[in-house]
Amino acid sequence: MYARTVFRLANCRQRLCNAASFSRLLQTTCISAATKPESDNPTVVSGLGLERKIRTGSEDLETTRRRLLYQMRKRGILETDLLLSTFAAQHLSSLSRAELGDLDSLLSNIDWDIFYWATDKTQPPESIWSMSVFQKLRDHASKRGHSIVRMPDLS
């Protein structure tokens, strides 16, 4: 529940005009969750600014691919949706389990951050830069050119 709240707050960041309001809102949420007893907090990872629940290995490979395909198509920002959905159409079926895990971690970031990192507008954190799947995404973004891109059909 807490991880969903933080994820929703992060998505709302793009809609907020005042960064200070978002910062206060996020700090309030994190402080209230930090005061909960340890047993109420899910296991979370927080290396990139967002906290998310750690997925156990209980998902089979096909379920993971389907979940990631949905998450890559329904981000909320058209530019990122197009970049990630075309990447998924070309590469998702050939990614290893480790690369799928890295992709899952990458997708926990904010849409504009992912887009700017993949298109070399800003420098990503070292933890993102070192992912092989991120390097594939950068290569994919650099080869897109200036043609009209549309969302791939679901198969």
Side-chain angles (χ1 to χ4, degrees), residues 6 45 49 51 55 65 97 122 124 140-141 155:
V6 171
V45 173
E51 296 187 355
R55 296 198 183 277
R65 283 195 172 104
R97 183 174 290 280
T122 60
H140 176 76
S155 36

Side-chain angles (χ1 to χ4, degrees), residues 19-48:
S21 297
F22 174 73
S23 178
R24 284 192 301 275
L25 185 61
L26 190 58
Q27 286 173 352
T28 305
T29 304
C30 291
I31 289 169
S32 65
T35 59
K36 289 182 183 178
E38 187 80 23
S39 61
D40 289 347
N41 283 332
T43 307
V44 293
V45 173
S46 63
L48 304 174

Side-chain angles (χ1 to χ4, degrees), residues 50-63:
L50 295 178
E51 296 187 355
R52 64 180 182 83
K53 187 173 182 180
I54 294 175
R55 296 198 183 277
T56 60
S58 62
E59 261 186 347
D60 63 81
L61 209 52
E62 191 57 34
T63 303

